[in-house]
Amino acid sequence: MGKDGLVIVYTGNGKGKTTAALGMALRAVGYNHKICMIQFIKGSWPYGEIESIKRLQPEFELEIVGKGFVGIIDDKTAREDHKKIAQEAIEISKEKIQSGNYNIVILDEINYAINLGLVDLNDVLILIKSKPEKLNLVLTGNYAKDEIIDVADLVTEMKEIKHPFKSGIKAKKGIDF
Ligand code: ATP
Ligand code: MG
C-alpha cells in the first residue's frame, strides 16, 4: 500500500543535506509540483540557491527566516532574537504545511535549530504529526533527534569520509554556497 506523503530526514556530519533537499525539489519541479523551503538559521549569507530558486518560480518558493549562523564569531545577534526569529520560522512552517498548497515542504537546518535550543522539539513533532496526508515533509540538519527519526519514513545520514575544509580548503561558490 502506498503512502501518500513521506517524512524525509537528511542528517549526519557529511556534506550534502541541503543539497539533497534542493535536488529533490529540482526533480519535483519537473512535474510542476509545488515546493516551499523554509530556511532556519541561515539568513545573512548569500547562497546560490536563492537566485536559482527565483528561476523556478512559481513552483519553488523560498522563505529565509534566519539571522545568520548562531554563535560564530561574526554573530552579533542576541540569543533572544535568534529564538524569536526561529519561533517565527516555526509559525511560517505551520502555515505553509497546513495550507495544502505544496507537494513538498523543506524545513532546512531545523535539526540545528532544535539542537541550539531555538526551537522546541515538541513543536516540531506536532508540526510533523499535523501535516496533510499528501505532503512530503523534509527536515535537514545534523544530529536529528531520535524522536524525529522515529516518525520519519526516509532517513539518510550523510557521513563525512573526507571534507576539503579539513585540508584547509575554503568553501567554494557553487559547491558550498
Ligand atoms: P550543503 O548545503 O553543502 O548540502 P549540508 O547541508 O550538508 O551542506 P550544513 O551543515 O548545512 O551542511 O553546512 C553547510 C556548509 O558547511 C556548506 O558550505 C558545507 O560545505 C559545509 N560543510 C558541510 N559538512 C561539512 C563538514 N563535515 N566539514 C566542514 N564543512 C562542512
Ligand atoms: Mg545544510
Side-chain angles (χ1 to χ4, degrees):
M1 209 182 74
K3 201 172 169 181
D4 274 345
L6 303 174
V7 176
I8 299 167
V9 175
Y10 294 127
T11 190
N13 66 350
K15 172 178 159 60
K17 300 172 285 292
T18 301
T19 319
L22 287 169
M24 184 181 283
L26 181 66
R27 177 174 281 168
V29 170
Y31 299 99
N32 302 319
H33 289 179
K34 306 278 185 287
I35 300 112
C36 183
M37 174 151 123
I38 298 129
Q39 287 198 322
F40 286 69
I41 300 174
K42 280 176 187 167
S44 58
W45 291 5
Y47 279 89
E49 59 260 37
I50 298 171
E51 292 308 313
S52 340
I53 288 170
K54 286 182 191 159
R55 300 201 199 173
L56 299 177
Q57 299 288 327
E59 284 85 2
F60 197 169
E61 283 175 30
L62 175 64
E63 298 273 350
I64 305 169
V65 210
K67 267 222 150 189
F69 288 96
V70 179
I72 61 167
I73 316 140
D74 70 346
D75 178 13
K76 293 189 178 65
T77 311
R79 196 181 165 75
E80 271 317 300
D81 287 341
H82 276 303
K83 228 171 164 171
K84 223 162 90 192
I85 292 157
Q87 216 45 53
E88 230 171 84
I90 283 286
E91 286 308 314
I92 293 170
S93 303
K94 197 182 290 174
E95 212 178 282
K96 299 289 183 186
I97 286 169
Q98 287 167 1
S99 70
N101 291 341
Y102 305 97
N103 302 86
I104 303 176
V105 170
I106 302 164
L107 308 179
D108 189 38
E109 316 298 355
I110 191 155
N111 293 323
Y112 288 118
I114 296 169
N115 294 325
L116 289 165
L118 300 178
V119 162
D120 195 40
L121 169 63
N122 246 328
D123 288 347
V124 178
L125 290 171
I126 290 167
L127 216 59
I128 297 171
K129 222 173 164 185
S130 68
K131 83 166 185 65
E133 182 62 37
K134 285 195 163 164
L135 178 73
N136 297 287
L137 185 62
V138 183
L139 302 97
T140 85
N142 200 5
Y143 304 110
K145 295 282 186 202
D146 290 341
E147 291 90 334
I148 290 183
I149 290 172
D150 280 346
V151 297
D153 302 291
L154 192 170
V155 181
T156 297
E157 181 181 4
M158 274 68 181
K159 180 175 180 289
E160 185 193 307
I161 307 290
K162 275 188 165 189
H163 196 289
F165 186 73
K166 296 279 154 67
S167 9
I169 299 166
K170 291 214 177 88
K172 286 190 187 299
K173 219 180 235 183
I175 305 290
D176 295 297
F177 63 91

